[in-house]
Amino acid sequence: MPEQSTDLRETVRRRYAAAAVQVTEGGAACCGPQAVEVDENFGSTLYTADERGTLPAEAVAASLGCGNPTAVADLHEGERVLDLGSGGGIDVLLSARRVGPTGKAYGLDMTDEMLQLALANAEKAQVANVEFLKGTIEAIPLPGGTIDVVISNCVINLSTDKPAVFAETFRVLRPGGRLGISDVVADDTLTPAQRAERGDYVGCIAGALSFTEYREGLEAAGFTGVEITPTHPVADGMHSAVVRASKPLPVEGTAPTATSADPCCGVDACCTDAETSADPALTVTESKSAAGCACQG
């Protein structure tokens, strides 16, 4: 990775680590944790009062997104959902309740402090059908073809390698799977330099793609039915937007793509209720551990 990209990623990591620490350590016992300071275009106010009321105060306080992806992802009972850049877990917990006990919600984050906060929030919420993974959104630690829906809340703009994010998202989705995210998108007339003038990288502004760049990036990765709908302005010529797209079903007569039933991580049917160890002498957990698999659940 180029040095500038490495520096930007570390800057992003430090910013969100500090936000998690603020929520964890900065609250008053009588009133709950202090929310991370953001303007009216970002944060927990973009969720309904009913949604906020079902979650631990720490999950709500750590919300830093520009939308509410669970409101647009059209989640169904029994589906497997992956949240890219899951932070304190607000969207994972909401998704887990929507997909029910027969479904599962995964959260992926690169920041230890946010992962610790998310795990604590899941325990407080008494939500069992969740799993939080450490990793980057450019290299998702899950097998291909195992996820029904990918969501994300104002995180993809923070990546320094967006083509890799789109390619990895496409890989982990099953054929017919879909993308339903919130992100910051720039007017096509704005150059990268003009976007940077409107806000910094960690503030979700400078790294935003334009509408055309976003659409072309998703289509280059293989997505179809791309829809990008602005919801509210976040800066001059910059918008919070809902992005939807689908992974097409294979054309009849073509070879099927890999599915969760294929061997992976030392087990068969990885990340399904039917998973079994490929080595009868080992348990599923032992096989995954020996294979170095990130999907340990």
Side-chain angles (χ1 to χ4, degrees), residues 5-276:
S5 297
T6 302
D7 291 344
L8 280 172
R9 176 178 285 179
E10 177 58 19
T11 300
V12 170
R13 189 201 66 76
R14 287 199 303 266
R15 190 262 174 135
Y16 288 91
V21 170
Q22 176 183 327
V23 170
T24 302
E25 300 180 353
C30 65
C31 306
Q34 178 183 356
V36 178
E37 185 176 352
V38 290
D39 65 30
E40 68 277 5
N41 298 313
F42 298 86
S44 62
T45 58
L46 301 174
Y47 296 82
T48 67
D50 287 344
E51 288 173 322
R52 296 195 303 268
T54 66
L55 299 173
E58 290 81 1
V60 176
S63 176
L64 293 163
C66 59
N68 181 353
T70 59
V72 302
D74 190 27
L75 301 179
H76 302 290
E77 188 88 14
E79 288 188 317
R80 289 176 173 266
V81 185
L82 169 64
D83 181 18
L84 301 180
S86 49
I90 185 170
D91 293 316
V92 175
L93 298 179
L94 289 172
S95 296
R97 289 197 166 123
R98 293 193 182 204
V99 301
T102 60
K104 188 167 184 178
Y106 294 91
L108 174 63
D109 207 281
M110 68 176 182
T111 308
D112 289 328
E113 292 85 352
M114 277 295 186
L115 288 167
Q116 292 167 6
L117 177 59
L119 287 168
N121 286 333
E123 184 175 353
K124 290 175 183 176
Q126 297 182 323
V127 177
N129 58 330
V130 300
E131 182 175 348
F132 291 97
L133 306 170
K134 183 176 181 180
T136 67
I137 61 176
E138 297 86 1
I140 299 172
L142 284 172
T146 55
I147 298 297
D148 296 297
V149 188
V150 171
I151 65 173
S152 184
N153 196 351
C154 205
V155 171
I156 293 176
N157 70 81
L158 295 170
S159 172
T160 57
D161 189 354
K162 295 174 181 66
V165 177
F166 296 149
E168 278 290 273
T169 301
F170 189 86
R171 179 186 66 81
V172 300
L173 280 170
R174 63 165 178 79
R178 60 199 187 277
L179 178 74
I181 66 175
S182 297
D183 209 357
V184 172
V185 184
D187 285 342
D188 288 334
T189 55
L190 294 183
T191 66
Q194 289 171 325
R195 299 169 211 173
E197 291 171 355
R198 286 156 171 76
D200 61 13
Y201 205 95
V202 297
C204 302
I205 301 297
L209 295 174
S210 70
F211 283 89
T212 296
E213 290 167 345
Y214 222 117
R215 177 180 300 277
E216 291 178 346
L218 287 170
E219 290 176 344
F223 284 98
T224 58
V226 178
E227 298 178 358
I228 306 174
T229 307
T231 57
H232 60 272
V234 297
D236 183 22
M238 312 283 291
H239 314 268
S240 174
V242 171
V243 182
R244 296 184 177 93
S246 299
K247 180 174 181 175
L249 292 166
V251 178
E252 187 175 352
T254 60
T257 57
T259 69
S260 59
D262 295 323
C264 174
C265 291
V267 300
D268 296 317
C270 184
C271 294
T272 73
D273 293 336
E275 61 184 2
T276 57

Side-chain angles (χ1 to χ4, degrees), residues 276-288:
T276 57
S277 173
D279 183 347
L282 299 176
T283 66
V284 168
T285 300
E286 289 169 342
S287 291
K288 287 185 175 185

